[in-house]
Amino acid sequence: MAIEWRPSAEIETLKARARLLARVREFFAKRDVLEVETPTLGQGGSTDVHLASLSALTRTDKGLRRLWLQTSPEFHMKRLLAAGSGPIFQLARSFRDGEVGGRHNIEFTMLEWYRPAMTLPALIDETAALVNALMPGAPQVVKRYRYRSLFETHLAIDPFTAPLEALRHLAEQRGQMAPQSLADEPRETCLDLLMSVVIEPTLGRGEISAVVDYPASQAALARRHQDEEGEWVASRFELYVAGMELANGYDELTNPFEQRARFVEDNAERARQGLEPVDIDERLLAALEHGMPDGSGVALGIDRLIQLALGKARLEEVLAFSTPRC
């Protein structure tokens, strides 16, 4: 049986990809945002229950140590911010185990940037401007939607107050899952399924859609605030084009004590779900304790944006070698 050695993408596609990446660098150079490079390996990983971090046992000067392949360059970049870097961006190799499909690859490129003193609404506008810079034919209109309003419009439920059993039943029904398949799943799993199957495909159609005011439990490394109804929500957004999630932005949490508490709670939830714990990044927490400037940051799946810009059906078509061919 012949071994498939050829690249996943056509050579002309890779040339087009290189031109688009050059536009990214030009976009940030015009805005005086510094390009940085940070390690792919770190002494801590992402504790997020919804992410599967990869790790490696490495021989170091301190003996055999486990280091974590980064799910995004966030932790190292925040340490640079705390050291006084000012606004920064990075095109970083990132890794998430088990993420394979038409829009996913275990190894991928993340475009991440941080803007000290910039508000979240301003960062939404800048993210949309980047999309337009790489996709001249993309919609110019940016529309903002509250998470709660989307669920009320598309599913006739309030995601903050609906009983868990009702959410499980609706998620099984609309997600075309087997009866009782979500019987033991938590609230967030049901909401994520409904969001991805029912709501996301409607977003970014003839516009760039920005979703805001996610449940506070989905804040991760973002601040929280109270919405119009007095509900605590995450100070973050997600950006969609053509039914595809492209970016996830935060009003960044800078409190080291709250961040540590979230990491600990994540690992407790991982234990409840039978998942392996992930080492907490103590260097990030030390940087936050030193003092990181207030501001916003965003992570954008640049492979997905290139896929859209070049009109490709699958992510592997814009990667030199996708996971099955690496």
Side-chain angles (χ1 to χ4, degrees), residues 16-26 91 134 302 306:
R17 177 190 175 99
R19 290 191 292 269
L20 289 172
L21 292 178
R23 281 193 213 169
V24 170
R25 291 186 163 96
E26 180 183 2
L91 288 159
L134 269 63
I302 194 65
I306 291 172

Side-chain angles (χ1 to χ4, degrees), residues 138-259:
Q140 298 288 322
V141 176
V142 182
K143 291 194 67 175
R144 291 162 171 78
Y145 299 91
R146 296 176 67 212
Y147 182 91
R148 170 183 251 144
S149 299
L150 287 172
F151 274 80
E152 291 172 342
T153 298
H154 294 277
L155 292 158
I157 61 165
D158 185 333
F160 293 92
T161 61
L164 178 55
E165 285 307 314
L167 283 177
R168 285 173 175 162
H169 176 73
L170 188 59
E172 287 171 356
Q173 181 185 54
R174 297 298 298 271
Q176 299 182 339
M177 307 286 287
Q180 297 301 306
S181 60
L182 299 174
D184 298 321
E185 294 295 340
R187 186 179 199 87
E188 295 306 323
T189 299
C190 299
L191 291 174
D192 286 346
L193 180 62
L194 290 168
M195 183 72 179
S196 62
V197 173
V198 179
I199 299 173
E200 285 186 3
T202 71
L203 299 172
R205 303 295 181 180
E207 65 184 37
I208 296 174
S209 302
V211 181
V212 299
D213 290 353
Y214 283 77
S217 57
Q218 298 182 29
L221 281 81
R223 295 178 189 267
R224 294 168 175 154
H225 68 273
Q226 286 182 291
D227 68 6
E228 299 168 5
E229 288 79 21
E231 189 84 42
W232 282 98
V233 294
S235 303
R236 55 174 286 230
F237 72 88
E238 291 191 4
L239 201 79
Y240 292 85
V241 175
M244 186 184 296
E245 180 207 338
L246 289 182
N248 185 8
Y250 296 162
D251 180 358
E252 300 294 345
L253 179 64
T254 59
N255 185 314
F257 307 105
E258 183 176 351
Q259 188 60 75

